[in-house]
Amino acid sequence: MAKSSLDKKFDKIREREESKSFSTKKRSRIISKFVNNKLAVFGLIIFSIILLATIFAPLLSPYDPMRVDLRSMRQAPSFDHWFGTDNTGRDVFTRVLFGGRVSIFIGLGSAILSALVGIAVGCYAGYKGGWIDVIALRISEIFMSFPQIILVLLLVSITGQSLFNLMAIFIVTGWGGMYRLARARMLSLREEEYVQALRSFGLSTFTICYKHMLPNALSPIMVNITLSTAMFILTEAGLSFLGLGVPLNIPTWGNILNVAQDILVLQNYWWMWGPVGIVISVFVLCVNFIGDGLRDSTDPSQQG
C-alpha cells in the first residue's frame, strides 16, 4: 500500500530523531570513556588549573613581573615570594604566571594554526588528487626532510627574534605532519559509499570534503593537536633558554629558565629555575595525558 504524504513526513521525522539519538549516544560513550581514563581526567584538571592561573595572573599575585627591586634580589621562597626572587628582585611566581600566558599562547596557537593549514591543504589534496596532491606532498616532504629544531634555528637566525616570528616559524615547520595525516584519512574515506553517493548528487568538492568527510577524520587530528601543543611549548622553552626564542624582555617559561645558564645560579639558587622547570614538565605531561585520553575515547577500534 502506497504511503500518504503525511506518512512520509512522519518517516522523515522518525529517521531524523533516530539519527540524533545515535549521535547523542555516541557522544555520551566518548565522554564516558574519557571520564573513565583517570590519567586523562587528572591531566585535564591540572591543565585547567594552570591555564586559569595564567589567565587570572593579576588576581593571584600583587607584583609586576617586570618590576626590578634590587633590595629583594635572590631571596629564597617565603610567604611574600612563594617561588623566591631572581637576580634583579623580580618575583619568580609572578613571572611564571605571566610567562605561562605567552608560552601557552605560542604552543596552543601554533598547534591550532598549523593544524588549520595542514587540514585545509591535506583534505583538498587528498580528496582531489592529481597535480595538486603531488605538489603539496613534495613541499611537505621538503620541510619534513630537515630536523625541525635545526630548521627552526635557521629561520629564527634569518627572521630575527619576536613572538609572532616564532609562531610563524612553528606554523611553517609544523603543518607538514598534519597535512600528511589529513591526506591519509581523505585517501581512505574518498572511496566510501556515502562519498560516492554525495558525488553522484552533484555536491561541490568543498561541501563533500570539508562538511561531510572532515568530521569523520577529526579524532586523530585532535590527538595530533595536543601532541603538537606540547612539542611547541618544549621547543619554545629550549630556544628561549638558548637566547634564540622570544626576546628576553618578554617573560616566558623558557626565558625564566635562561638564568640556569649561569653555573652560580644553577648550584646555589635553585628556586630561580626549579619551579618553572617543574611547571613546564607537569603542563606538558598533562597535555600528553589529555591526548592519550582523546585517542582512546575517539578511536573506533577501541569502542566497546
Side-chain angles (χ1 to χ4, degrees):
M1 189 172 92
K3 292 185 177 180
S4 66
S5 60
L6 187 61
D7 290 333
K8 292 179 180 179
K9 288 182 180 179
F10 279 134
D11 288 340
K12 289 182 179 179
I13 294 173
R14 190 180 301 110
E15 289 175 2
R16 192 181 303 118
E17 291 301 321
E18 289 176 354
S19 175
K20 289 182 179 178
S21 176
F22 176 77
S23 170
T24 302
K25 288 180 181 178
K26 184 177 179 181
R27 283 197 297 269
S28 299
R29 185 166 62 247
I30 290 174
I31 294 173
S32 175
K33 199 169 183 65
F34 184 88
V35 170
N36 289 333
N37 189 324
K38 294 182 180 179
L39 280 179
V41 173
F42 172 78
L44 182 61
I45 292 172
I46 301 301
F47 173 89
S48 302
I49 291 173
I50 296 176
L51 182 62
L52 291 174
T54 60
I55 293 173
F56 298 105
L59 302 178
L60 298 177
S61 176
Y63 300 103
D64 184 340
M66 303 301 295
R67 183 174 178 273
V68 174
D69 183 7
L70 297 180
R71 291 176 298 180
S72 303
M73 58 187 297
R74 295 180 178 177
Q75 289 186 0
S78 63
F79 286 109
D80 292 328
H81 302 284
W82 292 359
F83 290 174
T85 60
D86 63 9
N87 288 324
T88 56
R90 296 171 297 189
D91 184 69
V92 176
F93 176 71
T94 305
R95 288 177 61 77
V96 169
L97 292 180
F98 281 88
R101 286 180 168 185
V102 181
S103 294
I104 295 172
F105 174 73
I106 291 174
L108 191 58
S110 300
I112 292 175
L113 291 176
S114 63
L116 289 176
V117 174
I119 291 169
V121 177
C123 288
Y124 189 83
Y127 175 71
K128 290 293 289 184
W131 63 270
I132 296 177
D133 186 36
V134 173
I135 293 175
L137 184 60
R138 295 298 170 262
I139 293 175
S140 70
E141 287 175 348
I142 291 173
F143 282 105
M144 297 181 71
S145 62
F146 295 94
Q148 188 178 33
I149 188 65
I150 302 299
L151 188 58
V152 169
L153 287 171
L154 177 64
L155 294 175
V156 166
S157 64
I158 293 173
T159 60
Q161 293 178 245
S162 80
L163 173 62
F164 292 102
N165 279 357
L166 190 62
M167 287 188 66
I169 291 169
F170 283 163
I171 294 168
V172 168
T173 59
W175 70 274
M178 190 64 73
Y179 156 78
R180 295 176 74 89
L181 177 62
R183 175 181 178 271
R185 292 294 296 166
M186 290 299 113
L187 289 175
S188 62
L189 290 173
R190 70 180 184 182
E191 304 303 328
E192 295 285 341
E193 291 182 358
Y194 78 93
V195 177
Q196 304 293 337
L198 292 171
R199 192 180 296 125
S200 67
F201 286 136
L203 295 180
S204 66
T205 299
F206 183 88
T207 302
I208 296 174
C209 185
Y210 296 105
K211 184 177 179 180
H212 296 283
M213 295 177 66
L214 180 57
N216 295 317
L218 283 179
S219 297
I221 288 173
M222 289 190 300
V223 176
N224 196 279
I225 289 175
T226 63
L227 300 178
S228 297
T229 299
M231 180 190 67
F232 286 139
I233 289 176
L234 289 176
T235 304
E236 181 277 323
L239 290 172
S240 297
F241 174 77
L242 296 174
L244 296 172
V246 179
L248 290 174
N249 62 324
I250 300 176
T252 69
W253 287 341
N255 282 341
I256 299 171
L257 274 178
N258 183 267
V259 298
Q261 292 188 31
D262 187 345
I263 189 65
L264 181 65
V265 171
L266 194 62
Q267 291 179 339
N268 301 303
Y269 304 105
W270 58 268
W271 58 86
M272 292 188 194
W273 53 269
V276 68
I278 293 173
V279 170
I280 293 173
S281 300
V282 169
F283 188 82
V284 169
L285 194 62
C286 290
V287 172
N288 287 331
F289 286 159
I290 295 172
D292 290 341
L294 288 174
R295 182 197 61 205
D296 294 342
S297 60
T298 59
D299 187 355
S301 64
Q302 300 191 34
Q303 296 294 334

